[in-house]
Amino acid sequence: MAALPNRPEDFDTANHATVNGTNSNEEDLTRHVNGESSNNEVENIAADVIIIGGGFGGMYGMHQFRKLGLSVKLLEAGSSWGGTWHWNRYPGARVDSETPYYSLSIPEVYKDWTFTERFPGHEELRRYFQHVDKTLDLSRDAYFNTIVTAARYDTGTGQWHVKTDDPKRIATCKYLVMATGSSYKKHFPAFKNLDKFKGRLIHSALYPDTLDVSHKKVLVIGSGATGVQIVQTLAHDPTCQLTASIRTPNIALPMRQRQMSAEEQNAAKSFYQSVLQSAKQCSGGFPYNPAPKAYHEATPAERRAHWEEIWGRGGFAFLLSNYREFLADKDINRELYAFWADKVRARVRDPVKREIVAPATQPHWLGTKRPSLEQDFYEMIDQEHVTLLDLQRRDIAEFTASGVVTVSKSDENDRQHHDYDIVILATGYDSLTGSLLDAGLTDINDTPLSAKWRHGTYTYLGLTIPQMPNLFMVYSPQAPTALSNGPPIIEIQIDWIAAAIAKMRAEGVKYIDARSAAAEEWRDDIQKMNNLTLFPETDSWYMGANVPGKPREQLVYLAGVDTYARVTREALDGWKGFDVVKA
Ligand code: NAP
């Protein structure tokens, strides 16, 4: 993709090195980047633990592993903390997890921090990560602007050898923790002549800090969680001639954003420990109330009243407090979609637009693709200066220097050219596996991970990979990841890794290596459970179906965060599923 114009891979360093001029990592960055690379010697970053990735996983991991008395260093591709929130600066980017559940359960951290909104925006989230960094004193062990290109374990020395994009910077460690996130590797669809476009072409994860869209013709491709937020926000500028492409309409749910006072949050802090821990004891990483009854135990009137109630609460309550059966039973799912469509169709006056964004015929099973939480998306797309490009009826045939040619699906002679100044690709990620596959991991038999996972993903517990001893993953494939609120599942996984390392040290274990049979069984169990649901019937990134050529398989552990925590803990007892090699 290097040939693409206007796709500045270095946006990050050009525009993101300082966040409103307040990047507290600048000094550390300068020290690490300039201070240690000024001579010709190769710098070996040696530590007990090397963590790759500086989001929630990396930050919590560094803190927890230090508490074990381990030396820890962290390598991060971006120029600062925050992981996905370091990169995602597009208009309207905000988290769909509500306060306080999208934060770490570390008392020193939450003691002095309050958010301003129920669903915080990206700028505030980056300020939060700076607060975490300062409170836990993390930057002294972090190396930014450092991309890992290869890693291999040496069973003789018991060390991981890590290479980076800087030939003068390598790393060695006993334990390697991949906290590389689910949404790191950007997906660029193979649009014909994309490289011919002379306007501004931007992937949502490389959105510059400032971009004036007023009086500009802007096309947004993609209507996932990202596309909905971008369109909803840009549409507030009436001079922006905005086109939103919709291939699969998002079954978006009401966010019901609100301001939150510091007073309200501080008053609740006496209960934060139990509140934040309780998020780990439920299926989705949010302690939303479960439905009061099973679907069939409730009368139609009770169901309707329950749906109205959870619709009114906003956020993911509509999924997580709903009757669990809707993810497996088509009739229930259809009824739920009809409820949703009634609500949304009433908000869109234009009948053509209404049919595109909330079609009378259900576009996919509700809940089997990630819904966006919207605020005024449907009112915004209903305005005259916003055009919808219905990709159910037209294809993007090719890009030209000045825009895009679309062709009717029913008449190939019906071709239309549309001019655009800016095209925003909100086309998502090679999710869950992409960041791991790109890190150049090789197993002890010299087989690259890309070859091991060519026909399917094999992890054990969503935490380890066979023949990659002492490598651990966080926010990973085959864990609850995408169907969970991030911080609770990340804390569960890091705590598991910390417990595993502590146990290894207590027992004099050099390395643990997941057995292939255990990984096969873990994968099979996930696919079996998947087959009891409606997920396999939908093309989603949960199923690896958004990237051409990627194996189609359920990538998410479906039994929930609470079950996952229990099952993974049980495996630690007696090292079930692992080969254990003593020092
Ligand atoms: P996504 O969910 O994968 O959505 C990609 C969009 O691009 C889809 O609408 C897809 O259409 C469309 N698309 C892909 N290839 C296309 C092509 N060749 N032609 C036309 N359209 C194409 O990606 P995302 O919206 O960036 O979200 C990814 C994940 O990031 C989310 O699911 C969520 O987990 C996370 N996220 C979270 C938040 C938040 O918490 N607020 C915000 C943004 C993202 P189809 O659906 O038809 O494939």
Side-chain angles (χ1 to χ4, degrees):
M1 301 307 295
L4 282 180
N6 304 315
R7 211 215 81 188
E9 286 289 22
D10 56 354
F11 259 8
D12 183 54
T13 44
N15 295 327
H16 293 174
T18 57
V19 183
N20 302 325
T22 58
N23 186 338
S24 65
N25 290 306
E26 255 177 295
E27 277 180 26
D28 299 293
L29 192 65
T30 311
R31 174 163 52 81
H32 285 311
V33 173
N34 298 338
E36 301 183 36
S37 301
S38 55
N39 57 38
N40 284 331
E41 283 172 27
V42 172
E43 171 196 12
N44 181 17
I45 302 164
D48 293 322
V49 186
I50 298 282
I51 303 175
I52 304 173
F56 272 119
M59 297 181 102
Y60 184 73
M62 189 183 271
H63 181 62
Q64 294 301 88
F65 302 142
R66 276 181 182 171
K67 285 203 297 191
L68 292 179
L70 299 166
S71 58
V72 189
K73 302 283 180 189
L74 184 143
L75 313 181
E76 160 60 49
S79 60
S80 189
W81 296 102
T84 197
W85 297 106
H86 171 75
W87 302 103
N88 279 283
R89 293 156 190 256
Y90 59 79
R94 64 178 61 257
V95 70
D96 285 345
S97 297
E98 64 182 274
T99 301
Y101 299 104
Y102 201 67
S103 57
L104 294 173
S105 71
I106 301 172
E108 308 94 282
V109 171
Y110 64 65
K111 180 167 69 74
D112 299 321
W113 180 263
T114 51
F115 289 101
T116 60
E117 292 178 302
R118 181 183 180 195
F119 297 94
H122 63 106
E123 296 99 335
E124 183 163 44
L125 287 164
R126 281 195 293 281
R127 287 197 293 276
Y128 173 72
F129 287 110
Q130 296 302 325
H131 166 73
V132 177
D133 168 34
K134 280 210 185 75
T135 307
L136 303 179
D137 189 19
L138 302 180
S139 279
R140 65 184 157 90
D141 285 321
Y143 295 77
F144 296 102
N145 299 310
T146 301
I147 297 173
V148 169
T149 54
R152 189 184 184 287
Y153 187 72
D154 181 333
T155 52
T157 59
Q159 293 277 311
W160 274 95
H161 295 268
V162 178
K163 290 184 184 167
T164 74
D165 58 339
D166 177 352
K168 289 199 201 149
R169 174 172 286 170
I170 60 170
T172 46
C173 59
K174 290 184 194 140
Y175 314 103
L176 183 63
V177 177
M178 304 295 294
T180 44
S182 67
S183 307
Y184 175 71
K185 184 176 181 181
K186 296 170 278 294
H187 174 50
F188 293 87
F191 292 118
K192 187 175 169 192
N193 292 335
L194 187 59
D195 56 347
K196 301 275 191 301
F197 181 58
K198 296 265 187 286
R200 196 94 186 247
L201 181 69
I202 303 167
H203 190 283
S204 56
L206 292 172
Y207 207 93
D209 278 339
T210 51
L211 180 69
D212 187 6
V213 296
S214 56
H215 303 284
K216 299 270 178 8
K217 296 190 185 92
V218 179
L219 169 65
V220 178
I221 302 181
S223 55
T226 302
V228 165
Q229 290 187 329
I230 294 176
V231 167
Q232 168 183 267
T233 307
L234 293 187
H236 278 267
D237 180 346
T239 70
C240 175
Q241 294 170 53
L242 183 62
T243 301
S245 86
I246 313 265
R247 187 167 72 177
T248 308
N250 198 308
I251 304 183
L253 302 173
M255 173 176 266
R256 309 220 187 278
Q257 173 71 303
R258 69 178 178 89
Q259 299 296 301
M260 289 183 75
S261 69
E263 192 182 25
E264 151 182 33
Q265 289 166 75
N266 285 331
K269 282 187 184 161
S270 308
F271 312 104
Y272 261 33
Q273 256 324 295
S274 62
V275 162
L276 295 176
Q277 296 309 324
S278 68
K280 300 175 188 171
Q281 290 150 15
C282 53
S283 68
F286 300 97
Y288 286 121
N289 300 327
K293 294 179 177 179
Y295 173 90
H296 291 289
E297 287 167 3
T299 65
E302 283 174 330
R303 283 177 211 143
R304 179 85 203 178
H306 182 57
W307 285 341
E308 289 289 355
E309 187 188 332
I310 57 180
W311 183 261
R313 285 203 200 126
F316 286 124
F318 193 70
L319 296 184
L320 295 168
S321 293
N322 217 314
Y323 303 106
R324 301 296 302 153
E325 298 91 328
F326 81 88
L327 280 170
D329 185 311
K330 291 184 179 177
D331 289 335
I332 299 173
N333 200 291
R334 281 191 197 101
E335 196 183 338
L336 203 54
Y337 179 76
F339 176 92
W340 176 88
D342 277 353
K343 294 280 188 203
V344 169
R345 288 171 74 88
R347 289 168 59 187
V348 185
R349 288 164 305 159
D350 180 319
V352 177
K353 287 180 174 174
R354 185 191 304 138
E355 195 50 32
I356 295 172
V357 294
T361 307
Q362 185 168 0
H364 58 272
W365 301 117
L366 193 154
T368 57
K369 270 170 103 80
R370 164 70 153 74
S372 178
L373 297 188
E374 57 82 31
Q375 299 182 65
D376 54 5
F377 175 74
Y378 296 103
E379 289 74 17
M380 286 296 115
I381 57 96
D382 209 11
Q383 300 179 96
E384 272 182 22
H385 69 282
V386 181
T387 305
L388 295 188
L389 171 56
D390 181 1
L391 295 181
Q392 292 295 326
R393 289 185 175 72
R394 305 190 72 81
D395 282 322
I396 295 173
E398 61 178 321
F399 275 68
T400 66
S402 61
V404 164
V405 175
T406 65
V407 59
S408 163
K409 284 186 193 273
S410 55
D411 176 5
E412 63 181 26
N413 296 317
D414 175 4
R415 291 169 72 87
Q416 294 173 7
H417 186 271
H418 311 268
D419 281 337
Y420 297 111
D421 302 304
I422 301 168
V423 174
I424 300 168
L425 299 175
T427 47
Y429 301 88
D430 182 350
S431 306
L432 293 159
T433 53
S435 62
L436 294 161
L437 291 167
D438 269 12
L441 301 174
T442 306
D443 78 6
I444 52 176
N445 303 316
D446 287 328
T447 308
L449 187 63
S450 51
K452 286 166 85 76
W453 286 2
R454 185 162 294 141
H455 303 295
T457 305
Y458 292 86
T459 76
Y460 179 47
L461 308 175
L463 283 161
T464 58
I465 301 171
Q467 293 97 42
M468 295 199 174
N470 289 2
L471 175 139
F472 304 100
M473 297 175 293
V474 187
Y475 214 58
S476 41
Q478 300 183 342
T481 312
L483 291 172
S484 162
N485 177 29
I489 187 59
I490 285 167
E491 290 193 4
I492 287 170
Q493 290 187 307
I494 290 287
D495 289 348
W496 188 96
I497 297 165
I501 293 174
K503 185 172 157 71
M504 286 166 74
R505 290 163 73 85
E507 295 174 5
V509 171
K510 183 178 182 184
Y511 64 81
I512 56 166
D513 188 6
R515 293 192 188 125
S516 296
E520 279 159 27
E521 194 179 332
W522 186 256
R523 182 180 187 281
D524 281 357
D525 284 350
I526 291 171
Q527 307 315 317
K528 274 183 204 147
M529 179 169 285
N530 187 42
N531 290 337
L532 300 174
T533 72
L534 299 173
F535 283 104
E537 298 199 9
T538 301
D539 287 340
S540 69
W541 59 262
Y542 303 155
M543 291 289 304
N546 64 325
V547 175
K550 195 166 169 170
R552 192 185 179 93
E553 57 182 341
Q554 179 55 262
L555 286 163
V556 184
Y557 178 89
L558 297 175
V561 170
D562 44 355
T563 308
Y564 178 80
R566 180 177 52 76
V567 170
T568 50
R569 279 274 165 187
E570 283 168 7
L572 263 189
D573 188 13
W575 295 118
K576 292 184 196 74
F578 289 100
D579 287 327
V580 178
V581 175
K582 296 259 178 174

